[in-house]
Amino acid sequence: MRRRNFLRLTAALPLATTVTAADQTPAVAVDALPDRTAVLDTVRRVNNYWISGHADPGDNLWARATYFSGNMAAYRITGEARYLSYAKSWAEKHSYSLAGGVTTRHADNHNAGQTYLDLYEILGGEQKIAAIEASLHRMVYTDQPEKNDDWWWVDALHMAMPPLVRLGALRGDTNYWVKMYAMYNHTKRVQGGGLYDYEDELWYRDSTWSPGGTGKLSPNSKPVFWSRGNGWAYAAHAKVLSVLPSTDKRAPEYQWNMQGISRSLLATQRPDGFWNPSLRDAQHLPGKESSGTAMFCYGLAHAIRTGVIDRYTYLPVLAKGWNALVRDAVHPDGRLGWVQGIGDRPESSRPITYDSTADFGVGAFLMAGEEIARLLH
């Protein structure tokens, strides 16, 4: 198993420095986060724009479900009643059901359960979580409980790990956590030879890119680590650690993985604060991309706030990323731009422009806004 050279990546990090005339001592110029009021104002502007253009709340597939996870984050941090009503209307439109029904094992279909669980925690009503609980209970107990290979792509970690960890906590049933780890471990170490790379401390999207699978490289013969794919993984770890007790024996591994991704984000952030769609090869389709950047800001803010990563080291990285999103991606009317559309690799849904937007990108931005506001509280 390969282990990365930490100095190699950290040495690649560009630092802006200033030099004082008095002692000629270089000092790192650190970006600062805006105040909490400004963060909340931006969250409202972005979410209000989305809602104003989507009177029909949409389907309950993974992309729109990710938006609604962000909408609920916006509700929690702002208390805006219409955000809660909007989520409730979406869930009721679908009768709190899952695409594919309760027999589905597909992680994308489980993503809606995150918002159903949010609504249950706020409003009560067991029917709200009946479908997501029935589906995951089948996987844990009755529908091939020994089968752990369903999460063959890294996005699945974000779609399905949060409802599993939350149901385990809600029902006091640690078998959900055991099953979650078994599937996570298969994705990490077995699927396609393992989708996590221990040298670069990043995740391959699927076995198309992993050395144990096809092992496809970038045009410059470097490994391909898709920004949003790693954003999904990073966000999944943050959501799991927000619920899983620190005393659980699996918690340290989830923390360690967040720390590893964080080190790689430190080394691969663009000078303007964004991350490229392709993380390891700076020349492979370089450019601004908001969905991965927003997910990284969400994970960084959560990990800083909870002490998983060092505040002094990573707060400037977070500030630089959030400020880039607000400055360059949020339109004056609240539209979020520079979002890569649906796909599975850096080449997908191009070109990516100032006007490119998508529901899941907005959701990621709102999730980041909540965590940053909590960090600033």
Side-chain angles (χ1 to χ4, degrees), residues 55 57 68 84-94:
F68 274 100
L84 180 63
S85 296
Y86 190 52
K88 190 168 177 283
S89 69
W90 171 75
E92 290 177 348
K93 174 183 177 180
H94 299 290

Side-chain angles (χ1 to χ4, degrees), residues 119 123 214 242 267:
L119 291 169
L123 301 172
T214 307
S242 70

